[in-house]
Amino acid sequence: MDDLFPTSLQPDAVDLDVLPHQATVFFAIYPSAEDLPRVTAWQRRICGRTGVALRPPRLLHVSVALCGTPRRLLQPLREALRFVAERFTSSAFELTLDTATGGFGKDGRAFVALADAAGARAVHGLRVALAEAQQHVGLVATRGMSEAHLTLGYGDGLPAERRSVEPLSFRVAAVDLVASFEGRSEHRLLERWPLR
């Protein structure tokens, strides 16, 4: 028998309060539309003859933090995040990627570009600002340091040593809240929060 409500199972039809149970919901930095052609040209140069399968341009991002986990949430998630967005504040910054390495990620197949020290501090500061803003509505988010990186592609047997590469810089003027569905090469934009 066919599903009586087939459209209700589509990701676009899922309410934000249910979405975290069906997808990974996280904050990320995406290159602007103006910067993306320059970023993808750089991605091709850096990956060169490495045997890396390039990540599609629409998925190029730097993960900042998972959306907070509801602990004492007193309102629907969508309303809570709207409240957070109105009060969230963080400064725009320049992000520079200047090192590349393979063997990254859970399965060791990712080839990534790493942020320089200033960029790593700025991404961490953004992560802390997001955590602090969310705690006021009962969402608990991590503040721990993580390695700010942009996944360029995937491959097998990639060398894990770090090497300096031609630096790439772009302005970070917003942070996006997105949903990523397991097994699908798709990120769904939920919110865009501008940085001042």
Side-chain angles (χ1 to χ4, degrees):
M1 178 178 192
D2 290 337
D3 185 358
L4 296 175
F5 306 100
T7 58
S8 66
L9 299 179
Q10 298 304 312
D12 289 343
V14 177
D15 185 77
L16 185 55
D17 288 287
V18 177
L19 201 52
H21 302 288
Q22 299 184 341
T24 302
V25 179
F26 62 101
F27 291 95
I29 297 164
Y30 290 81
S32 69
E34 295 79 26
D35 287 328
L36 189 57
R38 191 167 53 86
V39 172
T40 56
W42 179 83
Q43 174 195 27
R44 288 190 298 273
R45 286 195 305 276
I46 297 305
C47 292
R49 296 183 201 87
T50 58
V52 169
L54 299 182
R55 195 162 212 206
R58 70 183 182 282
L59 298 181
L60 292 174
H61 71 280
V62 175
S63 295
V64 178
L66 291 172
C67 184
T69 304
R71 293 282 160 79
R72 295 174 305 281
L73 199 59
L74 301 175
Q75 56 197 324
L77 183 58
R78 184 175 300 281
E79 288 177 31
L81 287 172
R82 192 171 295 125
F83 179 87
V84 172
E86 289 170 0
R87 285 149 185 83
F88 167 75
T89 179
S90 190
S91 298
F93 59 92
E94 197 78 13
L95 179 61
T96 300
L97 305 164
D98 66 356
T99 307
T101 186
F104 216 76
K106 285 184 265 184
D107 60 5
R109 297 188 69 247
F111 185 70
V112 304
L114 302 168
D116 67 2
R121 283 192 302 275
V123 171
H124 179 67
L126 179 56
R127 173 190 281 239
V128 170
L130 287 164
E132 288 175 355
Q134 291 177 84
Q135 78 179 10
H136 297 294
V137 296
L139 291 167
V140 178
T142 183
R143 297 162 190 257
M145 191 77 171
S146 68
E147 205 153 22
H149 66 278
L150 179 111
T151 301
L152 301 172
Y154 298 93
D156 293 314
L158 298 173
E161 66 266 8
R162 296 177 181 215
R163 62 181 172 94
S164 295
V165 294
E166 164 199 349
L168 170 80
S169 297
F170 59 89
R171 188 84 177 146
V172 177
V175 63
D176 293 345
L177 180 64
V178 296
S180 174
F181 296 89
E182 183 107 15
R184 298 172 62 174
S185 295
E186 173 192 340
H187 288 176
R188 177 176 152 201
L189 175 64
L190 304 173
E191 305 273 346
R192 173 160 287 148
W193 295 358
L195 305 181
R196 57 178 166 77

